[in-house]
Amino acid sequence: MEGIQRIGVYTSGGDAPGMNACVRAVVRTAYAHDLEVVGIRRGYEGMIDSDFVEMTTRSVSNILQKGGTVLKSARSDRFRTPEGRALAAANLTEMGINALVAIGGDGSMRGATLLNQEHGISVVGCPGTIDNDLYGTDETIGYDTAMNTAIENIDRIRDTADAHNRLFLVEVMGRDAGFIALNCGIGGGAELVLIPENQTDLKEVKKQIFGLMSSHARSSIVVVAEGDQLGGAQRIADALKNDAKFDFIDLRVCILGHTQRGGSPTARDRVLASRFGVSAVEALIEGHTNVMVGLVGGEIKMTPMKNVWSRSKSIDYELINLTKMLS
Ligand code: F6P
């Protein structure tokens, strides 16, 4: 690769708490190496629209602790087309940007791979999604904050559930993955956890819920990942309501939704995001491209970008057994 001229940094896909800490680390590391940084607003949409902003070490002051992303984020349909990507690449070249740090989930990494393959722009990724579903890293930016937010809410739900001996179906985020649900289920003491990685059968779920609620006067919490095959908490609640056998149960649904995406990042997410940002810039300087930095066994490792979006990260099945044991 020819030397780096200017680095472009962007956040893309669903925002995640800690993305700002990562942007800050990218900018400050680049300047420490006498490299300029341009912020690209709204991810790939901004790349296509030339929505660029010069960034300095001062422009990233006081953002470390903030949720959301100062660069804004988007999901871009235009970038899915070769024409959209060609326009984005031309805009980057015009700005003198020949290296990128992409902060986002699997869609963002896929987009970065295409930019590299089709237009030769150097790309290094930083994993950022609350879902934690990226191959090549044990943890993603935002996951810890989202889990803590969800657990705090589950604790609150437990208080009111207990007061009325109610059954609560609590839905947490995770479009294709159950990392949040599984860990919140354990941390929040859920009686049952339903995740996409584990085949769930409505008959079996009903049997378990019947057992939980009929054995004694008590509350129960079922944590449901939004991507679970049964179609989410509301669907399961409807199935129970339509079955007279469950008439004795006082049932409520709580969908935590986007509350899990916002808020100030936890200490863990701030440190993780900072480490990723520093490592991404160092990787570019060392001449790496088409890789994502990740945390593997406590150390920063690089994974080929293609593996990140073409392979799936497996859930820890030991934890599934743990939920059964502890409920
Ligand atoms: O970023 C991941 C995620 O939060 C998923 O858990 C969820 O399904 C999705 O994004 C929601 O996306 P949007 O905010 O675009 O509705």
Side-chain angles (χ1 to χ4, degrees):
M1 182 198 95
E2 58 180 296
I4 296 173
Q5 295 160 9
R6 279 169 124 189
I7 295 177
V9 60
Y10 59 101
T11 52
S12 159
D15 59 292
M19 280 182 163
N20 285 328
C22 191
V23 170
R24 171 181 177 269
V26 168
V27 173
R28 296 216 164 149
T29 308
Y31 275 93
H33 290 277
D34 293 323
L35 287 166
E36 287 178 7
V37 183
V38 174
I40 302 160
R41 290 202 197 93
R42 298 181 292 116
Y44 295 114
E45 280 290 283
M47 231 179 253
I48 292 171
D49 294 335
S50 284
D51 195 354
F52 300 130
V53 55
E54 301 278 346
M55 299 195 88
T56 63
T57 53
R58 287 191 67 186
S59 63
V60 292
S61 289
N62 218 7
I63 65 168
L64 170 83
Q65 73 279 21
K66 293 190 174 135
T69 160
V70 292
L71 288 177
K72 310 240 179 225
S73 193
R75 304 191 194 274
S76 174
D77 284 333
R78 288 187 291 165
F79 193 79
R80 289 181 215 279
T81 65
E83 297 75 26
R85 294 193 290 274
L87 187 51
N91 292 339
L92 292 174
T93 307
E94 202 184 312
M95 280 297 285
I97 300 168
N98 66 344
L100 292 171
V101 176
I103 308 168
D106 58 347
S108 314
M109 299 304 143
R110 187 189 287 257
T113 310
L114 290 171
L115 264 183
N116 176 263
Q117 285 172 350
E118 295 170 3
H119 302 284
I121 297 164
S122 295
V123 290
V124 171
C126 292
T129 164
I130 64 162
D131 289 359
N132 196 32
D133 58 347
L134 283 189
Y135 182 89
T137 189
D138 296 340
E139 266 186 68
T140 53
I141 298 168
Y143 172 56
D144 186 62
T145 308
M147 266 198 310
N148 279 290
T149 304
I151 285 187
E152 193 185 318
N153 282 304
I154 290 169
D155 287 349
R156 288 166 197 258
I157 290 167
R158 176 69 76 181
D159 290 345
T160 174
D162 221 35
H164 294 267
N165 288 333
R166 278 178 172 157
L167 167 70
F168 264 85
L169 296 168
V170 181
E171 185 175 298
V172 297
M173 273 192 168
R175 193 173 29 203
D176 309 303
F179 292 96
I180 297 179
L182 186 54
N183 287 282
C184 285
I186 294 169
E191 277 70 20
L192 186 62
V193 178
L194 303 176
I195 57 173
E197 293 86 345
N198 207 13
Q199 286 286 328
T200 40
D201 165 60
L202 186 58
K203 236 168 105 186
E204 182 55 28
V205 169
K206 279 178 156 183
K207 199 172 127 197
Q208 291 189 40
I209 290 177
F210 192 85
L212 282 169
M213 295 306 286
S214 60
S215 49
H216 31 263
R218 58 180 283 189
S219 67
S220 286
I221 291 183
V222 178
V223 173
V224 186
E226 72 173 315
D228 180 69
Q229 294 121 352
L230 295 179
Q234 190 58 56
R235 275 260 184 93
I236 298 169
D238 291 344
L240 297 179
K241 281 181 191 159
N242 289 330
D243 187 337
K245 238 175 75 188
F246 291 88
D247 282 352
F248 74 101
I249 297 178
D250 195 4
L251 156 71
R252 295 289 185 277
V253 171
C254 185
I255 296 172
L256 298 184
H258 287 79
T259 58
Q260 297 156 97
R261 282 251 293 267
S264 178
T266 57
R268 192 178 173 93
D269 268 330
R270 295 180 196 195
V271 174
L272 185 73
S274 301
R275 288 179 76 185
F276 285 160
V278 172
S279 307
V281 173
E282 286 176 353
L284 282 171
I285 291 169
E286 285 162 16
H288 296 282
T289 182
N290 235 337
V291 292
M292 184 190 78
V293 296
L295 190 74
V296 181
E299 283 177 32
I300 300 287
K301 295 263 161 70
M302 283 182 259
T303 299
M305 197 88 98
K306 187 169 185 290
N307 294 354
V308 172
W309 49 264
S310 62
R311 297 186 184 177
S312 53
K313 175 164 155 186
S314 54
I315 205 113
D316 186 350
Y317 283 90
E318 287 274 308
L319 293 184
I320 298 178
N321 292 334
L322 207 76
T323 57
K324 289 182 190 149
M325 172 97 75
L326 299 178
S327 68

